[in-house]
Structure formats: C-alpha cells, structure tokens
Amino acid sequence: MSYWKDTIIFVTKEDHEAPSNAELVEEDPNDPYEERGLILPSGEINWNCPCLGGMASGPCGSEFKEAFSCFHYSKEEVKGSECLDQFRSMQECMQRYPELYPQEDEKDEKDKQEQATESGANAASEGQKDNDTTESEVKS
Amino acid sequence: MLKCRAVWRKLAPLARSASTQCRHNVKTALNNGRRQAFVPATHMSTGPAGGGGSENTLYVVLVGAACLGGGAYAYMTVRGDSKRYEERISELASRSAKEAPESQPPVAPEPEEAAPTSEESAPVAELSGETESASAEEPVTETPPEAAEQAAPVLAEAEPVAEVPPEAVEEAPPVVEEAAEEPVTEAPPAAEPETVQEAPTEPAVTSLPESAPAPEPVSAPLTLPSHAPYLLIGGGTASFAAARSIRARDPGAKVLIVTDEPNLPYMRPPLSKELWFSDDPSVTETLRFKQWNGKERSIYFQPSSFYVKPEELTSAENGGVAVLTGKKVIQMDVRGNKVKLDDDTEISYDKCLIGTGGVPRNLQVIEKAGDEVMNRTTLFRKIEDFKSLDNVSRNVKSITIIGGGFLGSELACALGRRSSETGLEVIQMFPEKGNMGKVLPEYLSNWTTEKVKKEGVRIVPEALVKSVAFKEDKLEILLKDGRQVKTDHIVAAVGLEPNVDLAKSAGLEVDSDFGGYRVNAELQARSNIWVAGDAACFYDIRLGRRRVEHHDHAVVSGRLAGENMTGANKPYWHQSMFWSDLGPDVGYEAIGIVDSSLPTVGVFAKATSKDTPKAATEQSGTGIRSESETEATAVTPVASSTPAPVMEHKDEYGKGVIFYLRDKVVVGIILWNVFNRMPIARKIIKDGEEHADLNEVAKLFNIHED
C-alpha cells in the first residue's frame, strides 16, 4: 500500500504507557538565539514577546511600557502601588483609541498584567505564533 | 663579469701564443747577443686591466647612467604624488567645512544617536564625489596598494546618512532635500590606519526628516515623508510583524510601510478557510470571521486607528507605524539608501525590509487560451480575489480548482461545503494521486482525499491539463490522457512566484533553486536591507537553505528581521510551523521540512470524537489554532480521567505523529489531529539528533491523551 520508505506503527494506550527513553538535548538557559518569554534571563521585560500582543507597539506603547516597567520593578508590598500615575496616563491614552483598546475596568487591566507576568515568568514560553490579536482577545 | 670571463677565454690562447712568440724573439736575441739577461716578463694574463679595459669602462658608464636615471624618476614620482596628496587633503578639508554649517541639529525625541560608522577611503579612483552617502562596504576592500603609502585619511560620516550630501544637491529633486547630519566626526583627516572598520549594526536611528523647513513654502499641505528611518516594502504579514518588532525594541521608531494594495495589513489564512464558513452574508465587506468557539475578529491585524497617517509620521512625537497604500516601489538605490515609487517620488531610508511576498502562478495553457478563459479564471491570493470568488461561487454552477496543495485543497473544501447549500459543483484536479500529494506520505494523502470527497468535492487525480477552451458558454478543460472536464470557472492554485522585481535595480541576489531573494541566516541581503516572508530564501542553520511560504514563517521571519533591523543580529533559529484544516475532521499542524519524498515514520492511535480540530478548540477555550500557541501557558488542556469512548472509524489514521527523516535525523514533524504539542515537536527538530527508535520519541507526544 505505501512505499518501503513510509513506516507505519499503530500503538495502543498501553504501548505508550512506559515513559519514553528518547533523549533530548538539555536546554541552555543562556542560549542567545532562543525565543524568550516575557521576562528575559536578565530580569528585563521582553517587549517583543508575542504574549503582549500589540500593547508595546501601538499608539499607547510608550505609556504601556512605563506603567508595566514600574509595576515589574516595584518592590512595594502591594506590587505596583506606586505606579498609579503611570497606569492612569496609560488609561487615558487608551481611552483615546477605543477601537484598539475596548474599555474595561482598571482592575481587569491590572489582572491581565499580573497574569501576563506570571505566565511569562513561569514558562520558558515559546510564544511563537502571533496573530496580533486586539486587546479583548488577549484579555479573555 | 661573465662577459669578461668569456672574453678572457677567447683571448687567453692568443695571449699565450703571443707570449711564446715573445720568448722566441727573446731567445733569438739572446742567442744573438747574450748580453741581455733581461727576459721580458711573460704576461700570462692580459687581465681586464689591459685588453678588457675599454669594455669595462663602457660597462661602468652604462650602469651609472641607469642608476642616475632611475633615481631621477623615483624622485619625480614621489614629488608628484605628494603634491596630489596635498591637493586631496585640501579638497577634503574644504568639503568638510562646507558640510558642517549645513547640517541641522537632530530633533529631540531621538535619544539614540548613530555613531559614525560609514567610511571612505581616500583613493580617488573609487570616489565619484556624489555618492558619498554610499554604503560602507566599499572602502576597505577596494583599497589599492598605493593608498598604503599615502596613509589614506578616512572620512567618517554617519552611517545612516539620510540624505544627499551638499554636492549632490545639484540635482536637487524637490523631494529629496535633507541636510546631511553628523558629517565629519573625525575632523582632522589626518593619516589614519587603513583598517578603520564600520561599527556593527547600530540599533539607533537618528531622526532626520526636517525637510519641511526652509525650502518649502509655509502654506504647502503636509506631504508624504521623503525619509523613513525604517522603510518596509510590502504590506503583508512579514512587514507587519517587523513593524511591531521594531516598535517594541526601538522606542519612538518611525516605521513606514509601502504597499501596492489598497488595504491595511491583514492575515491571509482566513481567506481560504474561516471566511468561507461564516454565516454572515456581509462577510465580504466586514471581513470578520467567527472562530470555532464563537470569538469573532477581523482579518486585519489592527484597525486603522492603530496606524499613523503617512503625512504625520515625520512629526509624530512617539513615532508610529504608517501605511502608504496604493503605491508600488519600482526601483531601489542601495548605495543611495533610497527607493523610487511608481509615481516618481523618492523615499530614503536608514533600514529597509523587503516583504513583497509573491504572485500566484498561472498555467501556461490558460494564459495562452485567450481572454474568455482568463476572465473566468481566478488566481487566488488577495482580499479582492476572495470577494470575486465568493461572488462567482454564488452565480455559477460549476467551479474547478486546479492544484492539490494547501490552497487548492482548502478552497475545495470550503467551496464543497457551500455546494451542499447551493448545488454548486466543485471539481478539483491535480497531477498527484491524492490531495497534498507532495506533503503527505501516500497512505495519508489517500486518506485525506477521501475526506475531501466527503466534503462534496469531485476529485480528478493524476490530471495534467493540456488545453483550455471556451466553448458554448462553458470552459472545456482537456487533459493529457484524454479526459475532459466542463466547468464555468477555474481557480488556479498552482504555486506562488516570489516577487523579486527589485532585484535588478537593487543589485540583490536571487536564488536559482528556490526563487526569492537570497539572504543569510540573519535575513540580511545587503547592508541595511533585510528580506522576510515568502520572498526570502534564507539559510536555516538547522535545516539548510530554504524558502517557506507559510503564515507563521512570515510572522517569525518578519519579527526576526525587525529585531535585526534594530541591532539584534540573531539568526533564524525559532522554527516556524504551519497548519491546515480540511473540513471538521481533518486538521494537522506541522513543522520543519515536510516533503513526501522523504522517508517517513508514522505512529498512530485510534481517534476518538474528541480529537478533531473543533473539539480541540472548544476544550482549550482558545481561538483558532494559530492563537493557541501564544496562550498555551495560560491555559492547560484538560486531560480526561475516564477513557474516552472510542468511535468506530473505518480509517485507521485518526491521530498520530509523522516524522520526516533526512539522513536518519528528524527534519519535519506532522501532528495529525493532535494539538497543543508543537513545543515538543519544535524541540525535537532543534536537537537534530539521530533517534534509534522513533516510537520512543512519539511517546513524548502523548497522542492518546487530549
């Protein structure tokens, strides 16, 4: 049916129960070529992370960067509590572009930031494909 | 010396005979008068002092004259050269003096200044005097040896020399009028070591365009920018990804996208997939599609409010991305760092990306078949093609798709789905035996073909088109084996011709194997020029040189090009992936080189009803699969604790993993109805290891789980 060059193997669940003995090369955490997640190994924010969507590159990009940087480096007990000004100016900017940044609660904004930070920091995330979603997509 | 010796040898016998004669005479004399005890000394050697004397003098005279002459010549040459040197220096000095007063101070918002990088070597030969703003590669390599003596002074100018230095303003096209900034940073053109090299790619860009000022009348309307620090040619996925990357990395960057389409950047995959499944009758206008899970979005990457107007780009405080639609770049001047549009305007740049994509190929038989046939043929690529095909599909009875690859099969499935509502006949013909015959191993290609048939498509495999004619209000397609197909409309999906129109004027290399502009692993074609997307034939460190025509590759390569344009110098390393859906039952994701001519190993499990694309998206709560990767970290797919009921499937290839091998190394992987596992596949390709047992590797994918 198929050529000699195409091998077909059928496996049941049991066949695949034993853990794999395939060897994978160890990851180098300092590999300069690798795509990085939200937080770079140096601790800096990777503004080019696909997980941020268009936030850092849009019209309110600079406001967003300031607010998020302040939050990221904040050492207060309530993280980001000294960053209210930056967040406010970011909010104001976003209000000018309702099409791009559909309005939601400021609280949701912050939640999204936190989630982004955590998820970015947790995984050696390979946020590769990037559909440039609008704000609403990223949040929900 | 040798001559002397040779002469002596000749003379020697003569000398001896002469001396013998002498003796003879002497003896006679002696015999005659024995009083002379004086024996004249026999001269054994006449020596050079004697007979060779005259020749010797001549020799000395000649040599002496030659020495004197040579010395005189050398002296004159050196004198003349130093005179030329002095002239050159003074010329350069005067030129730098001219430039200094004309340069304008850079505008505030740009924090980063480009260090002087470009250099020129003095040797007059190369310099044309005008194109000094030229590229930096010229100098060092072209230095002739003489320059070493002169200790060529090096004129440094800012590398991204925006505009034309004063001399060339003689031509003064009205648009191209900027002051050169940061001219001579090394003022004394003193002797410098030859090997001044240009600084590595600068992330920074100086702000330049203040051409608005003096020359133009105050009442003039805002004009299109004549200079863009970042110029992206082409308004597709690669350009947009690059624009975003540049903006993220270079704060306040001003990016200008020039596209000949009337649309803002949009994504292409929905044009042959999701848009066809929309229930909205006005979908051709809104271009919004509903994903499987109900989330709606537009095919445009960003709405128009995201972009800055091109006229306002120059003065935008925080920079931005501007899109200039309806304009085509027809010529590129690499040395002058500028491009020319089809309306004769010129735009200069500091960094340029070519993201021109490609143009659909057509069959020669169709092109030769005349207007009637051409009018009824669609080459599918852009939004307008989608609109026209959508219209056609509602108004004809039969459509034939020629081509069995991704686009052809997807369109066939989409139209086939429609056919159930409208009674439209959908035919698909291709030279291979089954759909995706060049991608999938034969058994899988056959299986896929059956699925496509189930979508309502009539498949005509192993079809080579011989001729097409318009007869009796129908298109008649005649195949080489005699079969005939009558239809109303043809869609040709037979490949993409990469657009390399600018290669000639820009002096860019075109790859003969894969087509497209040849670029290195960092996607760079020449200084300040990068290429990304469908048009780039690039060097993949892991998989070798190739050209990829997929959406994710456009995103990945566009993003990488943007990073490199802002100084990152990273090679292509993160493997892009691609995917296809052929109806609700068949969906796969793939990565790497997936060519059916390679040996393959397929590991399959039985599919359950949970393993279809629809189920995958519903469960993980993500949108179309292209988004699922970015959100993979936020949402973890739920593994079912109870064994899922196994559906009765006649076909055995429900879900699994297929490995493509080249020299025993896995170079490509298809995840067949198995989703959210692309990171593992990517890792395996990246490792590039030889695995003895691919079944063990397949275990890593947990194909039995969701």
Side-chain angles (χ1 to χ4, degrees):
Chain A
M1 185 166 136
S2 60
Y3 299 127
W4 62 271
K5 71 173 185 65
D6 298 318
T7 312
I8 310 174
I9 306 171
F10 287 99
V11 288
T12 63
K13 198 157 173 181
E14 290 73 34
D15 290 333
H16 267 197
E17 247 170 13
S20 170
N21 62 13
E23 283 171 21
L24 295 178
V25 172
E26 228 181 82
E27 288 285 351
D28 174 11
N30 293 325
D31 189 347
Y33 290 176
E34 277 301 314
E35 287 255 321
R36 295 283 165 214
L38 183 62
I39 310 296
L40 296 169
S42 60
E44 285 169 8
I45 302 173
N46 177 17
W47 297 116
N48 208 7
C49 179
C51 57
L52 287 176
M55 297 289 287
S57 57
C60 300
S62 45
E63 283 86 353
F64 170 79
K65 281 186 193 173
E66 274 177 37
F68 197 39
S69 295
C70 172
F71 174 81
H72 176 63
Y73 291 112
S74 160
K75 302 231 184 320
E76 301 290 317
E77 216 177 280
V78 178
K79 198 163 162 78
S81 51
E82 77 274 29
C83 308
L84 283 179
D85 276 339
Q86 286 93 329
F87 275 102
R88 196 168 299 125
S89 62
M90 179 178 83
Q91 182 98 6
E92 281 166 19
C93 175
M94 289 184 177
Q95 276 165 349
R96 277 182 270 141
Y97 300 94
E99 225 187 352
L100 290 172
Y101 309 105
Q103 290 307 300
E104 297 201 21
D105 285 351
E106 199 184 274
K107 183 170 172 297
D108 286 349
E109 275 281 332
K110 283 243 184 120
D111 286 344
K112 185 225 150 236
Q113 315 282 20
E114 285 170 30
Q115 192 190 46
T117 328
E118 282 168 26
S119 60
N122 283 346
S125 109
E126 320 192 30
Q128 318 84 328
K129 268 172 62 188
D130 168 359
N131 256 355
D132 303 352
T133 56
T134 53
E135 174 76 27
S136 60
E137 308 277 341
V138 177
K139 278 189 198 167
S140 42
Chain B
M1 276 298 266
L2 289 170
K3 247 186 156 177
C4 290
R5 215 176 277 164
V7 168
W8 165 237
R9 283 208 191 94
K10 287 209 185 104
L11 291 178
L14 195 58
R16 278 193 212 108
S17 63
S19 68
T20 335
Q21 189 72 308
C22 239
R23 251 182 276 136
H24 193 72
N25 287 344
V26 166
K27 274 197 186 139
T28 321
L30 273 175
N31 288 343
N32 284 344
R34 292 227 180 154
R35 243 167 266 144
Q36 282 184 341
F38 169 66
V39 177
T42 50
H43 294 275
M44 284 306 290
S45 70
T46 50
S54 60
E55 278 142 23
N56 189 44
T57 320
L58 184 60
Y59 171 71
V60 168
V61 167
L62 280 172
V63 170
C67 285
L68 273 173
Y73 173 71
Y75 179 66
M76 305 263 289
T77 311
V78 170
R79 274 280 299 278
D81 272 347
S82 75
K83 209 173 105 191
R84 203 172 61 154
Y85 170 73
E86 294 299 333
E87 278 174 17
R88 179 84 192 112
I89 300 304
S90 57
E91 198 206 331
L92 287 173
S94 70
R95 192 183 303 146
S96 62
K98 253 204 279 175
E99 277 183 6
E102 288 194 41
S103 75
Q104 298 183 8
V107 167
E110 294 304 331
E112 296 140 308
E113 299 287 329
T117 50
S118 145
E119 48 156 346
E120 289 175 359
S121 53
V124 185
E126 281 77 76
L127 276 181
S128 57
E130 284 157 2
T131 51
E132 281 181 38
S133 53
S135 53
E137 330 94 307
E138 279 182 42
V140 182
T141 49
E142 290 173 27
T143 312
E146 301 144 63
E149 295 167 28
Q150 301 178 16
V154 172
L155 212 191
E157 296 179 359
E159 181 196 36
V161 168
E163 253 326 282
V164 174
E167 279 90 338
V169 174
E170 295 143 8
E171 322 158 355
V175 183
V176 181
E177 236 180 2
E178 316 268 85
E181 83 300 9
E182 295 186 9
V184 184
T185 51
E186 297 169 24
E192 302 245 6
E194 271 301 336
T195 52
V196 172
Q197 64 297 61
E198 59 174 18
T201 49
E202 297 294 340
V205 162
T206 53
S207 83
L208 309 154
E210 289 91 55
S211 71
E216 287 170 55
V218 179
S219 56
L222 285 174
T223 52
L224 298 177
S226 51
H227 174 84
Y230 296 98
L231 178 69
L232 312 184
I233 303 177
T237 307
S239 280
F240 185 82
R244 177 181 280 193
S245 188
I246 292 169
R247 288 278 301 159
R249 287 173 53 91
D250 181 0
K254 296 175 185 168
V255 182
L256 179 66
I257 297 178
V258 179
T259 172
D260 60 359
E261 282 187 65
N263 312 106
L264 295 173
Y266 59 91
M267 53 177 79
R268 212 175 294 286
L271 289 180
S272 60
K273 294 187 264 293
E274 286 88 349
L275 284 180
W276 291 93
F277 304 134
S278 169
D279 301 320
D280 183 359
S282 64
V283 67
T284 48
E285 293 310 314
T286 63
L287 298 174
R288 291 185 76 82
F289 58 98
K290 208 175 262 186
Q291 299 151 105
W292 284 107
N293 54 4
K295 275 200 237 172
E296 217 187 65
R297 65 153 300 160
S298 163
I299 64 168
Y300 289 102
F301 287 113
Q302 294 285 1
S304 53
S305 51
F306 173 87
Y307 304 99
V308 167
K309 289 202 180 57
E311 305 85 41
E312 292 163 12
L313 181 66
T314 306
S315 51
E317 200 189 296
N318 287 329
V321 181
V323 182
L324 190 54
T325 53
K327 298 260 190 261
K328 188 167 176 168
V329 175
I330 52 168
Q331 232 183 52
M332 217 171 152
D333 176 4
V334 173
R335 283 169 69 164
N337 283 343
K338 54 187 198 256
V339 301
K340 188 154 133 183
L341 305 181
D342 53 359
D343 63 358
D344 275 341
T345 43
E346 288 193 349
I347 303 181
S348 62
Y349 60 84
D350 297 330
K351 314 268 180 187
C352 180
L353 173 80
I354 298 180
T356 46
V359 171
R361 289 207 182 113
N362 198 353
L363 291 174
Q364 268 202 337
V365 293
I366 294 182
E367 279 177 343
K368 290 182 188 162
D371 281 341
E372 293 287 347
V373 174
M374 283 296 286
N375 289 342
R376 289 168 176 76
T377 302
T378 299
L379 297 172
F380 195 88
R381 174 101 172 144
K382 305 183 195 169
I383 289 179
E384 54 189 71
D385 303 321
F386 163 71
K387 288 183 179 178
S388 96
L389 187 60
D390 177 82
N391 190 25
V392 161
S393 70
R394 295 176 200 280
N395 294 323
V396 298
K397 297 218 180 53
S398 161
I399 297 184
T400 299
I401 296 162
I402 304 181
F406 291 101
L407 183 62
S409 306
E410 284 169 7
L411 282 176
C413 286
L415 288 170
R417 172 80 62 86
R418 200 168 271 203
S419 71
S420 57
E421 303 152 16
T422 59
L424 171 72
E425 182 195 31
V426 182
I427 305 165
Q428 187 185 7
M429 58 169 65
F430 41 78
E432 298 85 31
K433 281 194 194 156
N435 285 86
M436 315 302 302
K438 288 196 182 149
V439 172
L440 301 176
E442 196 183 327
Y443 63 91
L444 220 46
S445 164
N446 293 341
W447 191 87
T448 308
T449 311
E450 294 304 311
K451 287 289 176 189
V452 173
K453 280 182 192 166
K454 284 211 181 83
E455 291 295 310
V457 180
R458 180 179 137 208
I459 302 278
V460 180
E462 294 177 287
L464 288 161
V465 178
K466 187 171 169 185
S467 70
V468 183
F470 181 61
K471 281 184 196 163
E472 291 160 21
D473 214 32
K474 281 267 194 195
L475 291 174
E476 220 175 69
I477 306 172
L478 185 61
L479 302 180
K480 285 200 175 144
D481 58 5
R483 286 177 287 175
Q484 212 186 63
V485 172
K486 284 207 178 81
T487 190
D488 294 322
H489 197 90
I490 292 176
V491 178
V494 295
L496 188 78
E497 190 64 46
N499 183 340
V500 291
D501 290 344
L502 293 171
K504 197 145 183 222
S505 61
L508 297 175
E509 197 179 357
V510 173
D511 190 272
S512 44
D513 296 320
F514 300 102
Y517 297 98
R518 200 178 268 177
V519 297
N520 61 11
E522 285 81 16
L523 304 184
Q524 197 172 17
R526 286 180 66 170
S527 293
N528 300 334
I529 303 180
W530 287 261
V531 189
D534 292 352
C537 175
F538 66 101
Y539 182 65
D540 183 329
I541 299 178
R542 185 48 87 203
L543 300 176
R545 181 162 286 277
R546 56 198 194 116
R547 188 173 67 82
V548 178
E549 288 173 5
H550 292 297
H551 172 87
D552 189 49
H553 170 74
V555 174
V556 168
S557 63
R559 187 158 67 224
L560 177 66
E563 286 178 335
N564 289 343
M565 285 162 86
T566 49
N569 286 328
K570 281 166 59 177
Y572 188 94
W573 189 242
H574 178 92
Q575 257 332 304
S576 61
M577 56 86 81
F578 59 96
W579 77 98
S580 189
D581 285 330
L582 300 174
D585 292 336
V586 177
Y588 58 90
E589 298 178 335
I591 185 172
I593 297 179
V594 172
D595 183 336
S596 63
S597 63
L598 295 174
T600 67
V601 174
V603 181
F604 291 92
K606 280 209 178 257
T608 68
S609 61
K610 288 185 147 197
D611 301 318
T612 56
K614 193 168 172 192
T617 54
E618 280 168 356
Q619 184 162 66
S620 59
T622 58
I624 47 179
R625 204 154 46 255
S626 45
E627 284 182 48
S628 70
E629 296 247 83
T630 46
E631 296 179 58
T633 52
V635 176
T636 46
V638 175
S640 59
S641 49
T642 55
V646 174
M647 303 286 284
E648 276 287 319
H649 280 276
K650 274 183 285 185
D651 32 61
E652 304 98 353
Y653 311 112
K655 58 180 192 165
V657 184
I658 302 117
F659 300 99
Y660 287 72
L661 301 162
R662 193 170 65 186
D663 299 328
K664 297 191 197 158
V665 172
V666 176
V667 293
I669 297 178
I670 288 188
L671 302 173
W672 190 255
N673 270 337
V674 164
F675 305 105
N676 290 328
R677 285 151 172 87
M678 193 44 73
I680 310 164
R682 185 172 281 119
K683 169 83 177 130
I684 292 170
I685 304 245
K686 186 180 88 157
D687 285 353
E689 299 276 302
E690 272 187 37
H691 292 277
D693 184 1
L694 285 168
N695 189 23
E696 293 295 322
V697 180
K699 279 186 188 174
L700 297 168
F701 289 90
N702 285 326
I703 57 179
H704 298 274
E705 287 170 42
D706 293 321

